[in-house]
Amino acid sequence: MFDRIDRLMRSLAAFLAILGGLVLIAVILATVASVTGRALLWIGLGPIRGDFELVELGTGFAVFSFLPWVQINRQHASVEILTMHLGSTANRLIDLVADLLMLTIAVLLTWKHWDGTLDKFAYGETTFIIQYPIWWAYASGLVGAFGFVLVSIWCTILSLRALLTGRDQSHGETVH
C-alpha cells in the first residue's frame, strides 16, 4: 500500500511537471509567433492579440505545476555545510522539520491563492485585451498548488517514517 501511494504521488508530480512544461513550450511558441508577426508587419502579419496576457496565464500555471516535482525530488535549494557533519538521525530530524515547514508554506500559499481565486471570481474582472475572466488564471495555478500540498504531505510522511524507523528514505534520485 505504501509503495502504491508513493508511485501515485510521484506520478502526480511528474504529470503536473510535464503538463507545466508543455504549457511553457506553448507560451514560448506563442511569444515567438507574436514577435515574428511584429517583425513582419510590412507583409501583413501582426502580433498575437493579447500575447502578454497569454504569457501571464501560462507562466503562472507552469510555475505552480513544477512545485510538486521539485518537492518530491528534494530539489529545493539547501545548504549542507553544517548538516554534512551531523549524524543521520539529526539529518532525518532536519528533513522532517524542513518538510513540515514546506507543508505549512504549501498550505498557506494554496489557501491564499484559493481566496484570491474566489475574490476574482466574485468581482468578474476580465483581462484588458482578450477579455477572459482573470479568475481562470488563478484557478489554473490552483491545480499545481493542490498538487504541491498533497506531495508536501507525502514528503512529510516519508520523513517521519525515516526518523521513526531509522532508515533513510529514497526521494527520487537522492537518498538522505
Side-chain angles (χ1 to χ4, degrees):
M1 176 74 166
F2 193 84
D3 289 335
R4 287 187 2 190
I5 295 171
D6 192 56
R7 280 193 305 276
L8 177 68
M9 288 295 122
R10 291 180 188 286
S11 295
L12 172 66
F15 173 76
L16 288 171
I18 289 167
L19 190 59
L22 292 172
V23 167
L24 204 52
I25 288 169
V27 165
I28 291 166
L29 293 174
T31 302
V32 168
S34 192
V35 169
T36 303
R38 280 186 178 91
L40 300 175
L41 282 171
W42 56 276
I43 61 169
L45 294 179
I48 295 175
R49 188 171 178 265
D51 57 350
F52 62 91
E53 293 173 350
L54 296 173
V55 168
E56 290 173 353
L57 173 67
T59 303
F61 174 79
V63 167
F64 277 99
S65 293
F66 297 145
L67 290 173
W69 179 254
V70 172
Q71 177 65 8
I72 201 142
N73 288 297
R74 305 293 174 121
Q75 297 299 311
H76 293 289
S78 64
V79 179
E80 297 177 351
I81 292 173
L82 296 175
T83 60
M84 71 171 118
H85 301 294
L86 298 176
S88 58
T89 302
N91 276 301
R92 285 186 207 105
L93 182 61
I94 290 169
D95 282 347
L96 178 59
V97 170
D99 283 334
L100 285 169
L101 289 171
M102 191 59 72
L103 174 59
T104 302
I105 290 168
V107 168
L108 286 171
L109 185 69
T110 303
W111 168 38
K112 296 315 290 177
H113 199 83
W114 174 260
D115 282 349
T117 303
L118 293 177
D119 187 49
K120 296 299 180 187
F121 180 78
Y123 284 105
E125 289 181 66
T126 61
T127 60
F128 184 68
I129 296 174
I130 301 177
Q131 297 290 305
Y132 71 79
I134 290 177
W135 73 268
W136 289 1
Y138 279 72
S140 73
L142 279 174
V143 175
F146 284 129
F148 186 33
V149 169
L150 290 174
V151 167
S152 293
I153 291 168
W154 182 245
C155 287
T156 302
I157 291 169
L158 290 176
S159 290
L160 181 61
R161 182 179 187 216
L163 182 64
L164 294 176
T165 63
R167 293 190 332 235
D168 289 332
Q169 298 292 318
S170 67
H171 301 286
E173 299 297 319
T174 308
V175 176
H176 293 263

